[in-house]
Amino acid sequence: MPPSHVRSREAFQRACRLIPGGVNSPARAFGAVGGQPPFIERGEGAYLHDIDGNQYVDYVGSWGPLILGHAHPRVVRAVEDAMRRGASFGAPTEAESHLAELIVDAVPSIEMVRLVSSGTEASMSAIRLARGFTRRDGIVKFAGCYHGHVDSLLVQAGSSATTLGVPTSPGVPVGCTADTMVLRYNDVQGVADAFAAHGDRLAAVILEPVVGNMGLVRPTDEFLETLRRHTEKYGTLLIYDEVMTGFRLAYGGAQQLFHQMPDLTVLGKIVGGGLPVGAYGGRADVMKHVMPSGPVFQAGTLSGNPLAMAAGIATLEELRDRPPYARLDELGERLSTGLGEAARSAGLPHCVARVGSMWTLFFANGPVVDYDSAKQADTARFARFFWGMMDRGFYLPCSQFEAAFLSTRHTEKHIDQTVEAARAVLAEIARA
Ligand code: KE4
């Protein structure tokens, strides 16, 4: 019996009268899967509860921040204590240095860090800093990678591979993307060609070191090595956008996992423990160019907000003191193996991509190595899978082109229940 969504429908109608699309971020609007989103009443451990009383095993985790699950006692207590001392002062606090120190100690390439309020703000600031430090304007990004709604990064490839970017959203002037080049992820030759043609005018290359935003796509070692080698040779800054992978794939992020040293790193999500925190950091000689120690402007009323610091500190200290990464990898392996077997026995073309506790079940013959291959996926079939799982109490990302996440509150039992439900749903899809 599919769950009732009566109250969520009413809530959605009310929201749509007040907020564009009824949501404060399009990722939540279910546009890619149809139907309407359930409105959430609370989260608890590995579970979400909606306002109609339905319970779901949560594989979204607020799109990545909640690696410790919902309402972790240590995080709740820390934020409650901070709230009693006042929410915000617009003046420096030791909590900001505490979180900054945890980040510097954890992330191999970060010597100094600036705290802001979102991943977008962190990416935007890192791009401005790279341009200010190098006194160059050119930026390289990769199709399928998302770095927040930064004007200069809302761009698609121009007419030919190395011509300049075209805006993907109304409201972004062509001038904003004219210096942005879009290359194919994992395309080693494309990177070499772009640097041969434009290397001495490139301020930065920015990438997701494991992509979550086209569904999960791993980099090849050669791709990462090529990026580091060419950026070094041309004096271009290498920016790892670890908003999703930071503190997720390892305590030191993807750069620790892959033994890479970018010049700047962008962070978000987990670093705020579910409250609004973004961060950008890296080489001290670069970071010293940020105002007021240097000339590159960046500011923010709630940057380093005491409540957000409390949530971030509690989360990172929990991850530092009781690293969950081996356990998350075991659970991830159990899940991806189970999903693969379920899809195989249903006879459906698929490939399961996974790194640690980030995963995607693509309805496509793999491997998915870039945006072009990701776009071959059968999104209508994904939508049927999404709703079949939702109706059985499993809350997946509402798009084929998003990564799903495990938390430390997921157990083997949750995984086995998920695989059992997936087996039934995939068999139904195969029969349809
Ligand atoms: P925020 O501005 O949403 O905090 O961070 C932007 C961002 C930057 N870099 C990466 C790699 C990201 O994944 C994100 C945000 N991710 C999306 C989900 N894929 C957030 C969901 C949403 O926009 O509502």
Side-chain angles (χ1 to χ4, degrees):
M1 173 69 174
S4 145
H5 291 296
V6 169
R7 291 191 60 197
S8 279
R9 287 189 190 294
E10 288 161 6
F12 189 60
Q13 280 159 15
R14 175 185 177 217
C16 284
R17 292 195 295 275
L18 300 160
I19 302 167
V23 291
N24 285 306
S25 183
R28 309 171 194 165
F30 279 30
V33 293
Q36 298 179 1
F39 276 55
I40 302 306
E41 194 257 328
R42 64 190 168 86
E44 190 183 356
Y47 297 105
L48 284 176
H49 300 266
D50 73 18
I51 60 175
D52 288 287
N54 303 304
Q55 176 183 282
Y56 308 94
V57 176
D58 180 16
Y59 284 103
V60 179
S62 179
W63 301 99
L66 297 175
I67 192 168
L68 297 182
H70 295 283
H72 188 284
R74 182 169 180 174
V75 179
V76 171
R77 217 173 19 255
V79 176
E80 281 175 343
D81 293 350
M83 187 69 228
R84 287 192 194 91
R85 296 195 298 275
S88 183
F89 314 116
T93 65
E94 290 184 285
E96 294 156 78
S97 304
H98 190 162
L99 184 59
E101 199 161 54
L102 284 165
I103 293 168
V104 167
D105 289 349
V107 185
S109 66
I110 295 185
E111 297 171 337
M112 289 191 89
V113 64
R114 167 60 62 85
L115 299 166
V116 294
S117 299
S118 72
T120 294
E121 200 181 350
S123 296
M124 175 179 70
S125 308
I127 293 291
R128 183 181 310 131
L129 171 59
R131 285 171 157 162
F133 177 79
T134 61
R135 298 182 184 287
R136 300 175 184 177
D137 295 340
I139 298 290
V140 166
K141 80 172 287 288
F142 296 91
C145 287
Y146 175 67
H147 306 291
H149 59 95
V150 186
D151 274 356
S152 60
L153 300 179
L154 293 179
V155 57
Q156 61 194 354
S159 51
S160 80
T162 59
T163 54
L164 303 173
V166 172
T168 53
S169 166
V172 176
V174 172
C176 276
T177 60
D179 293 309
T180 309
M181 200 178 301
V182 183
L183 301 182
R184 192 163 56 82
Y185 198 81
N186 278 324
D187 179 4
V188 168
Q189 190 54 52
V191 168
D193 294 346
F195 269 94
H198 302 281
D200 54 6
R201 52 183 294 280
L202 292 177
V205 173
I206 186 168
L207 72 149
E208 294 181 60
V210 170
V211 187
N213 287 288
M214 43 178 139
L216 190 130
V217 172
R218 301 180 69 111
T220 63
D221 294 343
E222 191 190 7
F223 179 61
L224 294 182
E225 297 300 338
T226 299
L227 286 171
R228 184 64 283 182
R229 195 168 60 251
H230 283 83
T231 48
E232 215 133 71
K233 179 180 171 188
Y234 286 89
T236 300
L237 295 189
L238 178 59
I239 305 177
Y240 271 23
D241 177 346
E242 296 227 39
V243 166
M244 203 178 264
T245 57
F247 299 99
R248 165 67 59 183
L249 299 183
Y251 190 57
Q255 60 192 268
Q256 179 184 314
L257 205 59
F258 298 139
H259 311 293
Q260 292 290 331
M261 290 289 274
D263 300 302
L264 290 176
T265 298
V266 176
L267 296 168
K269 296 184 192 277
I270 291 173
V271 79
L275 268 66
V277 178
Y280 64 103
R283 284 169 36 192
D285 65 318
V286 178
M287 289 303 293
K288 282 179 177 147
H289 280 66
V290 179
M291 201 175 271
S293 58
V296 177
F297 186 76
Q298 184 263 306
T301 304
L302 296 176
S303 295
N305 169 266
L307 304 190
M309 295 300 100
I313 290 165
T315 299
L316 295 199
E317 287 186 342
E318 182 62 28
L319 293 170
R320 178 198 62 192
D321 300 345
R322 274 169 288 285
Y325 302 102
R327 166 98 177 120
L328 288 171
D329 197 44
E330 277 167 26
L331 286 176
E333 182 58 25
R334 189 184 185 102
L335 179 61
S336 53
T337 304
L339 291 175
E341 282 166 0
R344 226 178 346 275
S345 56
L348 297 173
H350 69 282
C351 86
V352 184
R354 178 181 74 84
V355 179
S357 59
M358 275 175 72
W359 57 276
T360 299
L361 169 60
F362 284 104
F363 286 91
N365 281 316
V368 175
V369 296
D370 58 20
Y371 198 34
D372 289 342
S373 47
K375 285 190 289 188
Q376 301 309 309
D378 183 333
T379 52
R381 185 165 277 179
F382 174 83
R384 284 200 294 279
F385 179 64
F386 172 84
W387 280 110
M389 293 300 282
M390 177 74 98
D391 288 346
R392 287 167 172 79
F394 299 92
Y395 191 83
L396 301 178
C398 49
S399 164
Q400 171 71 98
F401 307 117
E402 291 283 2
F405 302 93
L406 292 168
S407 80
T408 56
R409 307 293 291 279
H410 285 77
T411 64
E412 281 83 355
K413 185 159 171 278
H414 291 127
I415 302 300
D416 296 346
Q417 289 169 342
T418 305
V419 170
E420 190 185 336
R423 191 177 293 282
V425 175
L426 293 167
E428 270 174 24
I429 291 172
R431 284 195 296 274

